[in-house]
Amino acid sequence: MTLQQLKYVIEVVRSQSINKAAQRLFISQPSLSNALKELEEEIGVTIFLRTNKGITITPEGSEFLGYARQVVEQAELLENRYDKSRTPQQNFAVSSQHYAFAVSAFVRLLKDYDREEYEFTLRETRTYEIIDDVKNLRSEIGILYVNDFNEQIIHKFLREANLTFHSLFIANPHVFISSTNPLAERESVTLEDLNPFPYLSYEQGEYNSFYFSEEILSTLSRPKNIRVSDRATLFNLLIGLNGYTISTGVISHKLNSKDIIAVPLEVNEQIHVGYITHKNVANSKLADIYIQYLREIIDEELTLL
């Protein structure tokens, strides 16, 4: 059985005539008839009933036709995917902790990437999954932070996964709060100032270790705690409940409303944000451009702090 024979069957059904199908296939009618008979003998099924009035497809032939169409369609997809004369579809994926600057850089990349076809992926996800995504090449770039508390553990996981951490910037901690929060007019806040307000953090699933937390000072006990899984929910709760979260202070007002502001947090800590790549895989051109945009946007946002 050949792919060509399957295409013959499909064309005969489409044309409702062996003669018409032969013309469309640019072969002789006897050659097409012989090819169909050889196929029927090989599979032991009568696909077509031939009469003086023409041909009709048998029930067994209808079943065979369904399989034939699947095989031919998959073959065409395969041919299109590896057609050297065709511009290949570009693929690029990033996995990140919940940073607005990572989204802003992704938006800039897409705006500047003028192609008819592409498949880009941005995953805002959990810390362990970021490492796992880059390790298993689901993403080319991963974005996360380290500090004195989690650095040894995170770098241990990166070494075991054959990944490299590249620095982007070091930030002093800030709290994100609503612009209507009673602390919004303060030049800085302390942990004690924050005690009356709900603390919002990103849940980490089965790897809910303090070391994988997206927020520094994760071991501190707080009277009011809310865990969320996405940035939109966290921002809504910051506004609706006068909650707070701890982050770098880098926030994109182009993507996020001015209802959320960053206020310096008075603690003796620093947040070292970087991106991770696989040691055995060279950066694609898209990855290099994305990293460049990351650095540009971070510089722009840091000047606003």
Side-chain angles (χ1 to χ4, degrees), residues 45-63:
V45 169
T46 299
I47 301 173
F48 298 109
L49 291 177
R50 298 159 179 85
T51 67
N52 293 333
K53 295 181 181 180
I55 62 165
T56 56
I57 191 166
T58 65
E60 295 84 358
S62 293
E63 182 181 10

Side-chain angles (χ1 to χ4, degrees), residues 76-88:
E76 288 173 351
L77 287 173
L78 191 62
E79 289 170 359
N80 290 335
R81 174 65 178 84
Y82 294 100
D83 182 358
K84 292 183 179 179
S85 65
R86 181 173 172 269
T87 302

Side-chain angles (χ1 to χ4, degrees), residues 96-102 124 127 143-147 169-177 189 191 194 198-202 204 213-218 222 228 231 234-235 238 243-252 256 260-274 298 301-302 305:
S96 175
Q97 290 177 333
H98 297 76
Y99 295 127
F101 61 80
E124 283 193 332
T127 303
I143 302 171
L144 45 72
Y145 90 93
V146 296
N147 70 341
F169 67 100
I170 296 175
N172 294 318
H174 287 65
V175 292
F176 285 166
I177 57 175
V189 296
L191 291 172
L194 296 167
Y199 170 63
L200 293 145
S201 61
Y202 291 106
Q204 296 294 323
S213 172
E214 283 196 40
E215 303 80 21
I216 64 169
L217 306 173
S218 57
R222 297 174 174 86
V228 301
R231 190 153 45 92
L234 184 139
F235 279 9
L238 290 184
Y244 75 95
T245 192
I246 301 175
S247 190
T248 62
V250 179
I251 184 170
S252 174
N256 301 294
I260 304 295
I261 63 171
V263 178
L265 177 62
E266 295 178 19
V267 290
N268 187 25
E269 297 275 349
Q270 286 190 315
I271 303 171
H272 188 184
V273 179
I298 289 165
E301 297 296 339
L302 283 174
L305 289 180

Side-chain angles (χ1 to χ4, degrees), residues 28-244:
S28 68
Q29 188 270 335
S31 295
L32 178 55
S33 294
N34 289 335
L36 294 174
K37 287 180 181 178
E38 289 174 3
L39 176 61
E40 288 175 323
E41 289 174 0
E42 180 183 347
I43 63 175
V45 169
T46 299
I47 301 173
F48 298 109
L49 291 177
R50 298 159 179 85
T51 67
N52 293 333
K53 295 181 181 180
I55 62 165
T56 56
I57 191 166
T58 65
E60 295 84 358
S62 293
E63 182 181 10
F64 179 83
L65 177 66
Y67 287 109
R69 281 177 171 153
Q70 291 181 49
V71 172
V72 171
E73 286 169 2
Q74 290 298 315
E76 288 173 351
L77 287 173
L78 191 62
E79 289 170 359
N80 290 335
R81 174 65 178 84
Y82 294 100
D83 182 358
K84 292 183 179 179
S85 65
R86 181 173 172 269
T87 302
Q89 184 185 66
Q90 291 294 304
N91 295 272
F92 178 64
V94 176
S95 293
S96 175
Q97 290 177 333
H98 297 76
Y99 295 127
F101 61 80
V103 180
S104 295
F106 198 79
V107 169
R108 185 174 295 184
L109 178 66
L110 282 167
K111 284 183 175 179
D112 290 348
Y113 189 74
D114 184 19
R115 297 291 188 279
E116 291 185 359
E117 293 186 26
Y118 56 77
E119 184 171 327
F120 283 17
T121 304
L122 175 60
R123 303 183 185 92
E124 283 193 332
T125 189
R126 299 163 178 167
T127 303
Y128 179 86
E129 290 167 359
I130 294 168
I131 297 171
D132 194 60
D133 281 349
V134 181
K135 171 187 174 182
N136 292 297
L137 307 180
R138 288 187 291 271
S139 288
E140 194 171 347
I141 301 290
I143 302 171
L144 45 72
Y145 90 93
V146 296
N147 70 341
D148 289 342
F149 175 72
N150 71 1
E151 188 170 18
Q152 287 189 352
I153 298 298
I154 295 297
H155 279 292
K156 173 179 179 292
F157 274 83
L158 296 181
R159 284 194 303 271
E160 291 174 352
N162 211 20
L163 306 178
T164 303
F165 180 88
H166 310 266
S167 178
L168 283 170
F169 67 100
I170 296 175
N172 294 318
H174 287 65
V175 292
F176 285 166
I177 57 175
S178 166
S179 58
T180 60
N181 188 292
L183 302 176
E185 299 300 321
R186 300 278 292 272
E187 291 186 2
S188 63
V189 296
T190 67
L191 291 172
E192 201 171 281
D193 294 331
L194 296 167
N195 270 338
F197 303 97
Y199 170 63
L200 293 145
S201 61
Y202 291 106
E203 58 94 14
Q204 296 294 323
E206 63 180 300
Y207 292 94
N208 201 28
S209 160
F210 292 130
Y211 297 106
F212 286 100
S213 172
E214 283 196 40
E215 303 80 21
I216 64 169
L217 306 173
S218 57
T219 59
L220 293 183
S221 176
R222 297 174 174 86
K224 302 175 183 178
N225 294 275
I226 303 172
R227 287 193 177 90
V228 301
S229 61
D230 66 273
R231 190 153 45 92
T233 300
L234 184 139
F235 279 9
N236 287 337
L237 293 177
L238 290 184
I239 296 170
L241 298 175
N242 269 337
Y244 75 95

Side-chain angles (χ1 to χ4, degrees), residues 15-32:
S15 302
Q16 293 294 300
S17 163
I18 292 179
N19 189 45
K20 288 180 182 178
Q23 292 175 11
R24 291 178 179 176
L25 292 165
F26 301 103
I27 61 174
S28 68
Q29 188 270 335
S31 295
L32 178 55

